[in-house]
PDB file of all heavy atoms in Angstrom:
ATOM      1  N   MET L   1     125.967 105.370 108.335  1.00 51.00           N
ATOM      2  CA  MET L   1     124.771 104.559 108.416  1.00 51.00           C
ATOM      3  C   MET L   1     125.114 103.318 109.234  1.00 51.00           C
ATOM      4  O   MET L   1     125.976 102.545 108.876  1.00 51.00           O
ATOM      5  CB  MET L   1     124.318 104.190 107.001  1.00 51.00           C
ATOM      6  CG  MET L   1     123.090 103.364 106.986  1.00 51.00           C
ATOM      7  SD  MET L   1     122.305 103.271 105.373  1.00 51.00           S
ATOM      8  CE  MET L   1     123.364 102.139 104.538  1.00 51.00           C
ATOM      9  N   HIS L   2     124.427 103.163 110.329  1.00 59.00           N
ATOM     10  CA  HIS L   2     124.688 102.054 111.236  1.00 59.00           C
ATOM     11  C   HIS L   2     123.554 101.042 111.122  1.00 59.00           C
ATOM     12  O   HIS L   2     122.393 101.359 111.341  1.00 59.00           O
ATOM     13  CB  HIS L   2     124.779 102.598 112.667  1.00 59.00           C
ATOM     14  CG  HIS L   2     124.973 101.531 113.690  1.00 59.00           C
ATOM     15  ND1 HIS L   2     126.140 100.818 113.773  1.00 59.00           N
ATOM     16  CD2 HIS L   2     124.150 101.047 114.633  1.00 59.00           C
ATOM     17  CE1 HIS L   2     126.012  99.938 114.777  1.00 59.00           C
ATOM     18  NE2 HIS L   2     124.812 100.068 115.305  1.00 59.00           N
ATOM     19  N   ILE L   3     123.884  99.823 110.740  1.00 62.00           N
ATOM     20  CA  ILE L   3     122.882  98.758 110.631  1.00 62.00           C
ATOM     21  C   ILE L   3     123.168  97.734 111.705  1.00 62.00           C
ATOM     22  O   ILE L   3     124.273  97.211 111.802  1.00 62.00           O
ATOM     23  CB  ILE L   3     122.922  98.101 109.247  1.00 62.00           C
ATOM     24  CG1 ILE L   3     122.602  99.125 108.177  1.00 62.00           C
ATOM     25  CG2 ILE L   3     121.938  96.949 109.176  1.00 62.00           C
ATOM     26  CD1 ILE L   3     122.671  98.569 106.780  1.00 62.00           C
ATOM     27  N   ARG L   4     122.166  97.462 112.509  1.00 79.00           N
ATOM     28  CA  ARG L   4     122.325  96.461 113.547  1.00 79.00           C
ATOM     29  C   ARG L   4     122.313  95.069 112.958  1.00 79.00           C
ATOM     30  O   ARG L   4     121.877  94.843 111.830  1.00 79.00           O
ATOM     31  CB  ARG L   4     121.222  96.619 114.574  1.00 79.00           C
ATOM     32  CG  ARG L   4     121.271  97.975 115.267  1.00 79.00           C
ATOM     33  CD  ARG L   4     120.220  98.080 116.298  1.00 79.00           C
ATOM     34  NE  ARG L   4     118.923  97.741 115.702  1.00 79.00           N
ATOM     35  CZ  ARG L   4     117.781  98.105 116.194  1.00 79.00           C
ATOM     36  NH1 ARG L   4     117.741  98.817 117.277  1.00 79.00           N
ATOM     37  NH2 ARG L   4     116.648  97.764 115.615  1.00 79.00           N
ATOM     38  N   SER L   5     122.772  94.112 113.745  1.00 82.00           N
ATOM     39  CA  SER L   5     122.900  92.739 113.228  1.00 82.00           C
ATOM     40  C   SER L   5     121.543  92.110 112.906  1.00 82.00           C
ATOM     41  O   SER L   5     121.424  91.362 111.941  1.00 82.00           O
ATOM     42  CB  SER L   5     123.677  91.881 114.214  1.00 82.00           C
ATOM     43  OG  SER L   5     123.019  91.839 115.463  1.00 82.00           O
ATOM     44  N   LYS L   6     120.505  92.424 113.696  1.00 82.00           N
ATOM     45  CA  LYS L   6     119.171  91.886 113.398  1.00 82.00           C
ATOM     46  C   LYS L   6     118.661  92.409 112.062  1.00 82.00           C
ATOM     47  O   LYS L   6     118.078  91.664 111.275  1.00 82.00           O
ATOM     48  CB  LYS L   6     118.179  92.253 114.498  1.00 82.00           C
ATOM     49  CG  LYS L   6     118.259  91.407 115.722  1.00 82.00           C
ATOM     50  CD  LYS L   6     117.148  91.793 116.674  1.00 82.00           C
ATOM     51  CE  LYS L   6     117.207  90.957 117.930  1.00 82.00           C
ATOM     52  NZ  LYS L   6     116.114  91.289 118.841  1.00 82.00           N
ATOM     53  N   GLU L   7     118.859  93.700 111.828  1.00 84.00           N
ATOM     54  CA  GLU L   7     118.440  94.289 110.563  1.00 84.00           C
ATOM     55  C   GLU L   7     119.190  93.652 109.406  1.00 84.00           C
ATOM     56  O   GLU L   7     118.588  93.307 108.380  1.00 84.00           O
ATOM     57  CB  GLU L   7     118.703  95.795 110.559  1.00 84.00           C
ATOM     58  CG  GLU L   7     117.838  96.582 111.496  1.00 84.00           C
ATOM     59  CD  GLU L   7     118.223  98.054 111.514  1.00 84.00           C
ATOM     60  OE1 GLU L   7     118.946  98.515 110.595  1.00 84.00           O
ATOM     61  OE2 GLU L   7     117.816  98.745 112.448  1.00 84.00           O
ATOM     62  N   MET L   8     120.494  93.505 109.560  1.00 86.00           N
ATOM     63  CA  MET L   8     121.301  92.939 108.491  1.00 86.00           C
ATOM     64  C   MET L   8     120.895  91.498 108.200  1.00 86.00           C
ATOM     65  O   MET L   8     120.788  91.092 107.034  1.00 86.00           O
ATOM     66  CB  MET L   8     122.785  93.007 108.846  1.00 86.00           C
ATOM     67  CG  MET L   8     123.685  92.662 107.686  1.00 86.00           C
ATOM     68  SD  MET L   8     125.425  92.808 108.076  1.00 86.00           S
ATOM     69  CE  MET L   8     125.583  94.543 108.384  1.00 86.00           C
ATOM     70  N   ALA L   9     120.660  90.716 109.240  1.00 86.00           N
ATOM     71  CA  ALA L   9     120.256  89.323 109.050  1.00 86.00           C
ATOM     72  C   ALA L   9     118.885  89.244 108.382  1.00 86.00           C
ATOM     73  O   ALA L   9     118.682  88.449 107.448  1.00 86.00           O
ATOM     74  CB  ALA L   9     120.236  88.597 110.387  1.00 86.00           C
ATOM     75  N   PHE L  10     117.941  90.061 108.836  1.00 87.00           N
ATOM     76  CA  PHE L  10     116.609  90.040 108.251  1.00 87.00           C
ATOM     77  C   PHE L  10     116.635  90.464 106.785  1.00 87.00           C
ATOM     78  O   PHE L  10     116.031  89.810 105.929  1.00 87.00           O
ATOM     79  CB  PHE L  10     115.662  90.942 109.053  1.00 87.00           C
ATOM     80  CG  PHE L  10     114.260  90.950 108.527  1.00 87.00           C
ATOM     81  CD1 PHE L  10     113.445  89.844 108.691  1.00 87.00           C
ATOM     82  CD2 PHE L  10     113.764  92.047 107.864  1.00 87.00           C
ATOM     83  CE1 PHE L  10     112.149  89.837 108.198  1.00 87.00           C
ATOM     84  CE2 PHE L  10     112.476  92.057 107.365  1.00 87.00           C
ATOM     85  CZ  PHE L  10     111.669  90.945 107.537  1.00 87.00           C
ATOM     86  N   LEU L  11     117.358  91.544 106.481  1.00 90.00           N
ATOM     87  CA  LEU L  11     117.435  92.002 105.103  1.00 90.00           C
ATOM     88  C   LEU L  11     118.207  91.014 104.226  1.00 90.00           C
ATOM     89  O   LEU L  11     117.899  90.854 103.039  1.00 90.00           O
ATOM     90  CB  LEU L  11     118.053  93.391 105.029  1.00 90.00           C
ATOM     91  CG  LEU L  11     117.182  94.511 105.608  1.00 90.00           C
ATOM     92  CD1 LEU L  11     117.924  95.825 105.616  1.00 90.00           C
ATOM     93  CD2 LEU L  11     115.884  94.629 104.845  1.00 90.00           C
ATOM     94  N   GLY L  12     119.183  90.340 104.788  1.00 91.00           N
ATOM     95  CA  GLY L  12     119.895  89.296 104.048  1.00 91.00           C
ATOM     96  C   GLY L  12     118.981  88.136 103.699  1.00 91.00           C
ATOM     97  O   GLY L  12     119.023  87.609 102.576  1.00 91.00           O
TER      98      GLY L  12
END
Side-chain angles (χ1 to χ4, degrees):
M1 180 165 76
H2 177 69
I3 298 178
R4 298 182 307 201
S5 60
K6 281 185 180 182
E7 292 176 16
M8 190 178 295
F10 181 72
L11 291 174

